[in-house]
């Protein structure tokens, strides 16, 4: 058994028992912090914590790794509830095209974008995709990510979608952190189905979903509901087929337009509704009436120069929400959640505490990991971030681009 004791922790953040599974409104800014604290772990499980004045006698000193955290903060690992980590090739050529004036939507209409990634992924074998994803996830963990969701959606054929999901399944057993898999065959229409939407939807429903169900290849089902992608009615049909196969919806809506996808997803009790760069008053009142967790992706807003979601408004309306990276080669080549934390503060005007709530406790809920992740609580194995010496918590998002994480234990 591996026993670790952190002592003299300057601030132990989000440690507590009986915390709600979702923080909302002013709760997001009022995080529990124990100053001058200790934390004891056994094989990563939280077995004791509290102020330094109370630690003596609680700990069995034998075979213990003692970590002096003087001047440093300890936080629960971040949870990244929305990523596209399995892909074949980066797309910096499109990045340069956008710098020169083309829009993301124009590039996609010219056969770039998701279709570009799908073409590359179809050519690559499963082992190579697996190997590339391992390298990326190792870097994500080093940046503090302690739980991860990964979507398919760069296959866009029966074989290639299943190949992606099998890679994700192998990643689940390779890593000690939890990884959730999402079927996103409805990410874009393949060229050969451009004028035959029915044909591709039939493939998803009749050929992909049944195999996914038999081989237990996914936890969730996603659809990119957007103009030029999937309509609300198309999304509904695919989500219902997924629900029938035991997959909860977790969807891409309101990235470029508000077209009713959010309402439909909430009606179908989606676990989360993600992107939300465009939010109308009606969308906000629908969010308020439903149980789906809104997830904002500020890395995507930043990289594509599109609006940032109005998270501040959700705080005012007492609606809980999460933040995630959206890591993918087209719209967000960044997996570093400290950068996402900064963007949320700088561009969405969230306080450091509000943004951290959305990256930990609320993000764990957006991937059904509240019982194990998101807070430092007895019996949980949330993954632990030990920072470098910092003056306060706000210093992390403030010093954007600087790596202030000394060690991550998962
Ligand atoms: O979440 N919006 C749809 N899908 C991805 C981007 C996919 C791509 O450009 O490769 C996203 O931003
Ligand atoms: Fe995405």
């Amino acid at each position: 058994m591996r026993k670790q004791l952190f002592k003299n922790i300057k601030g132990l953040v989000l440690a507590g028992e009986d915390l709600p599974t979702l923080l909302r409104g002013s709760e997001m800014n009022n995080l529990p912090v124990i100053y001058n604290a200790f934390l004891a772990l056994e094989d990563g499980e939280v077995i004791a914590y509290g102020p330094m004045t109370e630690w003596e006698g609680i700990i069995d000193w034998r075979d213990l790794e003692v970590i002096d955290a003087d001047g440093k903060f300890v936080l629960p690992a971040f949870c990244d509830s929305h990523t596209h980590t399995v892909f074949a090739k980066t797309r910096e050529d499109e990045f340069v095209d956008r710098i020169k004036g083309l829009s993301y939507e124009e590039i996609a209409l010219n056969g770039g974008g998701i279709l570009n990634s799908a073409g590359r992924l179809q050519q690559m074998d499963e082992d190579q995709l697996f190997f590339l994803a391992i390298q990326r996830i190792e870097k994500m963990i080093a940046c503090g990510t302690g739980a991860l969701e990964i979507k398919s959606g760069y296959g866009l054929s029966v074989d290639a979608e299943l190949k992606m999901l099998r890679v994700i399944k192998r990643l689940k057993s390779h890593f000690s952190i939890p990884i959730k898999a999402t079927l996103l065959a409805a990410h874009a229409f393949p060229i050969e189905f451009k004028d035959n939407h029915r044909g591709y939807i039939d493939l998803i429903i009749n050929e992909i979903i049944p195999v996914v169900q038999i081989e237990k290849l996914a936890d969730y089902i996603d659809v990119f509901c957007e103009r030029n992608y999937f309509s609300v009615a198309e999304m509904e049909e695919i989500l219902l087929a997924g629900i029938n196969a035991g997959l909860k919806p977790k969807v891409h809506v309101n990235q470029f337009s508000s077209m009713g996808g959010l309402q439909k997803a909430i009606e179908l009790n989606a676990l989360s509704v993600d992107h939300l760069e465009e939010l109308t008053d009606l969308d906000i009142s629908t969010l308020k009436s439903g149980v789906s967790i809104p997830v904002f992706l500020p890395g995507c807003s930043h990289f594509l120069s599109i609006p940032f979601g109005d998270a501040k408004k959700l705080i005012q309306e007492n609606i809980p929400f999460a933040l995630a990276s959206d890591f993918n080669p087209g719209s967000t080549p960044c997996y570093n959640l400290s950068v996402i934390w900064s963007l949320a503060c700088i561009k969405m005007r969230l306080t450091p505490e509000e943004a951290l709530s959305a990256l930990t406790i609320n993000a764990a809920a957006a991937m059904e990991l509240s019982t194990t992740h998101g807070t430092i609580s007895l019996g949980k194995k949330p993954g632990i971030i030990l920072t470098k010496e910092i003056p306060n918590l706000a210093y992390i998002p403030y010093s954007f681009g600087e790596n202030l994480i000394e060690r991550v234990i998962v």
Side-chain angles (χ1 to χ4, degrees), residues 85-87 126-141 148 150 167 170-175 179:
T85 302
V86 175
F87 57 86
E126 193 183 304
D127 286 344
Q128 204 177 345
L129 284 169
F130 177 58
F131 175 71
L132 288 174
I134 287 177
Q135 292 177 314
R136 293 179 195 129
I137 295 170
E138 281 170 354
K139 291 193 278 185
M140 294 163 112
I141 293 172
L148 185 65
I150 307 177
V167 169
R170 285 170 69 185
L171 294 168
K172 285 187 183 202
S173 31
H174 182 85
F175 284 99
I179 296 179

Side-chain angles (χ1 to χ4, degrees), residues 82 84 91 104 113-114 117 154 187 224 252 255 275 297 300 326 328-332:
H82 181 139
H84 308 250
R91 302 209 313 253
Y104 178 78
I114 297 166
S117 281
Y154 290 133
H187 199 187
F224 184 20
H252 284 72
Q255 182 176 3
H275 270 288
L297 310 167
C300 175
D326 196 18
N328 75 75
S331 74
T332 322

